[in-house]
Amino acid sequence: MAELTTIEDDTAFPTLDASQLAELAEFGEEREVAAGDLLYAAGDQTYDFFAILEGEVEIVRLDADGDGIVATHPAGRFVGELNLLTGQRALLTARVTRPGRVIAVAPGEFRRLMSSKPTLADIIFGALVARREALRQGDAALALRIIGSRYSSEAMALRSFATRARLAFTWIDLEDADDVGVLLASMGVRPADTPVVISPTAVLRHPTPGEFAAHLGLTYHPTPGRIFDLVVVGTGPAGLAASVYGASEGLDTVSLDAVGTGGQAGASSRIENYVGFPNGVSGGDLTAKAAIQAQRLGAWLANPCEVSGLRLEQGFHVVELADDSEIPCRAVIVATGARYQRLAIDDLERFEGAGLYYAATDLEARLCEGSDVLVIGGGNSAGQAAIYLAQQGSRVSLAIRRPDLTATMSRYLIDRIDADDRIELLGSTEVRALEGDSHLSSVTVEHTPTGQRRQMLCPALFCFIGAEPATAWLGETVVLDDHGFIPTDRALAPEALTDPLFEQRAPLPFETSVPGVFAVGDVRSGSLKRVAAAVGEGSSAVRSVHDYLATHA
Ligand SMILES: Cc1cc2nc3c(=O)[nH]c(=O)nc-3n(C[C@H](O)[C@H](O)[C@H](O)COP(=O)(O)OP(=O)(O)OC[C@H]3O[C@@H](n4cnc5c(N)ncnc54)[C@H](O)[C@@H]3O)c2cc1C
């Protein structure tokens, strides 16, 4: 048996006392177990939560490399990982090593336990979160491997998804491997198959993030006959706040995102103006915690799931997904935010994820540590990215169309950029061309007043040139303003209020031109375009959903 780093600490592995076990027993059934029994196996889509009354259970990683023990649970402990809440397929196996008795709690009862017994739920929840973090850092993460080249945009998309979803996985970079052919052959794959995902039950060749997520059980799967109270479209800060409040206030809530949880905030290395975090907070951390909180409270978060349309049918809203599935529901909160505009340059797609990035998180920073990078854009997000990349060891050129930053960036960021000799400001400058083979190698920029062009050697270009609302999927279902944002309540012009319901009452706060459909965060016309504002709107809109459901559904 291979030696794995075993994870042991009190938060991750609390021992329940007799009264806590008795409380638990109300939700499950007692079972005898024999040595060698599997409580769950890698690949299982769902499994029960188990507390051990007598005997011993090992958590093991069973794969091509052999058999390794991740943890050993004696009597008094419970078995399970964060996937009990996220719905992710099991990647490890729980095997009984000494016979005894367990309490088995089925998934539905486990959710009821988590919402009705706060003290016990706190202990269990703390353990599940701590176990996931320990798994992410230990050898157990070898149970899920992504193998590819750091220069591959396909591999980058898979890693970004896995990182945002806080999966326990191992990244194997072919550029760092001594003998690529031998490494791949040992896993039964050819170089042409990469990027490849290897899980205990499958080898996925060239998967998209959606296929990867579907394999793990994280995407939406239709449940016939179920009509949700609330569908939240988009899980940036606004959608996550709506999910937390919706689920905590008893609404049957499903939240969908085309990419992953976090939205634009998830791509921000440091948010400095979020109340209560005087030293700033990583957008990825903030939104990952909000996602777990929503799941703990009972929301179903499914992604990647792109929503492609919305219609009304027999008094219900029907949310249409790009894969042709449909979700009937009573109310919808649209929180699809805004997407970064792309440069109007030929051949752009070729470099997306292969040198051209729309986020500056730890993942991208590590790819270009120590190299020259170019950031374009004069807003706060470009400023933050430039400062962060410089702190991570890159020499940064910041190119802007205007001569200086004063009209577009907050003063505190301008001062930091001025004081940082690793950042050079290129005023009145625009990007004209990108060059490289499989990966970006240089960028041609033009100084617009003189027309002078120069080629800058740089393996990474970060693009933050303004955003446009993600509302195309709505077609003409709801009224949009001239810029494509969604006006709500008092911002709706009288001629937009064509629904007969609005003859009886005014639109509720955050309600769009369609009763029961609400819009929050950056996608809403006139919104503040800040994380705190998006969180406030998402939370508040749930109150309007309740008011709507009380009278119309
Ligand atoms: C680099 C950067 C730094 C920033 N720094 C700060 C800061 O320091 N302080 C601050 O207050 N603000 C900051 N912002 C702005 C802040 O992040 C946004 O205001 C905030 O994220 C808006 O939240 P939202 O939920 O409305 O939308 P978003 O965060 O844009 O989330 C929208 C979500 O909807 C999803 N979506 C879109 N279309 C669909 C569809 N058809 N189907 C399913 N899902 C869909 C997207 O994938 C996305 O996840 C920063 C932004 C960036 C990019």
Side-chain angles (χ1 to χ4, degrees):
M1 182 163 295
E3 276 295 310
L4 286 186
T5 321
T6 54
I7 44 178
E8 294 291 325
D9 80 60
D10 288 346
T11 310
F13 295 110
T15 300
L16 301 180
D17 62 26
S19 68
Q20 289 165 330
L21 288 168
E23 205 172 4
L24 238 169
E26 294 169 29
F27 295 84
E29 55 166 38
E30 213 174 293
R31 265 190 228 162
E32 304 267 333
V33 288
D37 282 357
L38 299 187
L39 298 184
Y40 59 81
D44 285 355
Q45 179 64 72
T46 59
Y47 62 91
D48 290 352
F49 170 88
F50 296 96
I52 306 164
L53 296 173
E54 262 177 53
E56 186 184 76
V57 177
E58 274 179 355
I59 306 300
V60 284
R61 178 166 72 80
L62 305 173
D63 52 41
D65 293 351
D67 206 0
I69 301 170
V70 177
T72 305
H73 296 292
R77 284 203 194 160
F78 54 84
V79 178
E81 200 264 333
L82 198 59
N83 53 8
L84 282 166
L85 294 177
T86 63
Q88 184 194 323
R89 203 180 277 283
L91 294 172
L92 302 170
T93 295
R95 180 169 62 195
V96 177
T97 42
R98 285 203 287 120
R101 288 176 302 123
V102 297
I103 301 169
V105 181
E109 283 299 283
F110 179 66
R111 287 192 181 277
R112 198 167 70 80
L113 159 77
M114 293 301 281
S115 59
S116 60
K117 299 281 177 187
T119 311
L120 192 54
D122 280 350
I123 297 170
I124 296 172
F125 182 67
L128 301 185
V129 173
R131 287 177 190 181
R132 171 60 63 91
E133 284 313 305
L135 291 177
R136 275 160 56 83
Q137 281 147 35
D139 298 343
L142 287 164
L144 186 65
R145 294 173 227 204
I146 303 174
I147 307 172
S149 160
R150 79 182 72 147
Y151 300 122
S152 150
S153 54
E154 280 180 288
M156 182 70 184
L158 294 170
R159 290 173 70 198
S160 295
F161 168 73
T163 305
R164 276 203 176 198
R166 299 243 163 185
L167 301 180
F169 74 101
T170 300
W171 158 244
I172 299 175
D173 188 344
L174 294 177
E175 309 301 327
D176 289 338
D178 285 338
D179 195 333
V180 174
V182 174
L183 171 76
L184 292 177
S186 72
M187 300 188 181
V189 290
R190 298 166 303 142
D193 295 332
T194 61
V196 70
V197 169
I198 300 188
S199 81
T201 50
V203 174
L204 309 178
R205 294 168 170 82
H206 294 287
T208 60
E211 289 160 350
F212 180 23
H215 170 66
L216 295 176
L218 293 173
T219 45
Y220 178 76
H221 30 272
T223 37
R226 186 167 177 186
I227 296 177
F228 287 90
D229 294 325
L230 174 63
V231 174
V232 179
V233 187
T235 54
L240 286 170
S243 311
V244 166
Y245 275 75
S248 71
E249 293 179 13
L251 299 178
D252 189 13
T253 303
V254 62
S255 309
L256 314 161
D257 198 290
V259 180
T261 52
Q264 293 178 69
S268 168
S269 50
R270 199 146 78 122
I271 297 166
E272 302 212 35
N273 53 358
Y274 197 75
V275 176
F277 292 88
N279 297 325
V281 57
S282 135
D285 283 350
L286 185 73
T287 53
K289 284 180 180 156
I292 295 175
Q293 186 179 14
Q295 287 166 324
R296 174 185 172 167
L297 293 164
W300 178 5
L301 264 52
N303 54 73
C305 281
E306 185 174 349
V307 175
S308 55
L310 178 66
R311 65 173 200 274
L312 205 60
E313 196 173 300
Q314 295 175 1
F316 292 103
H317 300 287
V318 179
V319 174
E320 301 162 354
L321 305 192
D323 68 2
D324 290 337
S325 44
E326 299 190 331
I327 311 180
C329 60
R330 297 185 169 85
V332 177
I333 292 184
V334 177
T336 44
R339 286 205 179 118
Y340 264 92
Q341 277 171 5
R342 299 159 85 230
L343 284 164
I345 279 184
D346 292 343
D347 232 10
L348 193 73
E349 295 80 19
R350 197 153 70 82
F351 296 109
E352 286 181 327
L356 171 58
Y357 307 110
Y358 298 94
T361 67
D362 182 50
L363 193 63
E364 291 83 12
R366 267 189 277 141
L367 285 174
C368 50
E369 195 179 349
S371 0
D372 291 354
V373 303
L374 179 62
V375 175
I376 52 171
N380 282 359
S381 36
Q384 285 174 352
I387 293 166
Y388 178 67
L389 291 164
Q391 284 166 347
Q392 300 307 307
S394 289
R395 281 180 308 281
V396 181
S397 302
L398 176 60
I400 54 169
R401 288 162 74 158
R402 295 174 186 244
D404 62 48
L405 292 166
T406 41
T408 54
M409 196 177 285
S410 296
R411 189 71 242 171
Y412 79 99
L413 289 170
I414 298 177
D415 290 344
R416 278 195 211 166
I417 288 168
D418 286 347
D420 195 328
D421 53 19
R422 295 163 299 190
I423 305 177
E424 183 194 9
L425 184 66
L426 307 177
S428 309
T429 300
E430 291 186 25
V431 171
R432 293 289 177 239
L434 309 183
E435 298 96 22
D437 294 327
S438 59
H439 194 273
L440 182 72
S441 56
S442 63
V443 178
T444 299
V445 295
E446 179 178 318
H447 182 243
T448 45
T450 58
Q452 212 167 34
R453 291 189 177 200
R454 68 179 165 123
Q455 198 178 30
M456 299 175 66
L457 289 182
C458 70
L461 170 64
F462 293 86
C463 183
F464 297 99
I465 55 167
E468 58 192 28
T471 47
W473 63 277
L474 283 162
E476 296 188 350
T477 324
V478 304
V479 169
L480 305 177
D481 71 12
D482 292 344
H483 302 283
F485 291 90
I486 308 175
T488 61
D489 51 88
R490 280 182 298 174
L492 282 163
E495 58 273 20
L497 304 179
T498 53
D499 193 286
L501 199 73
F502 292 133
E503 287 165 19
Q504 296 157 35
R505 65 154 175 85
L508 296 161
F510 304 105
E511 199 167 26
T512 67
S513 60
V514 178
V517 177
F518 302 83
V520 293
D522 280 14
V523 77
R524 191 178 66 77
S525 180
S527 69
L528 206 57
K529 313 283 183 288
R530 290 286 181 273
V531 176
V535 167
E537 293 190 9
S539 319
S540 312
V542 171
R543 167 66 195 268
S544 294
V545 170
H546 276 295
D547 289 348
Y548 171 78
L549 294 181
T551 46
H552 305 296

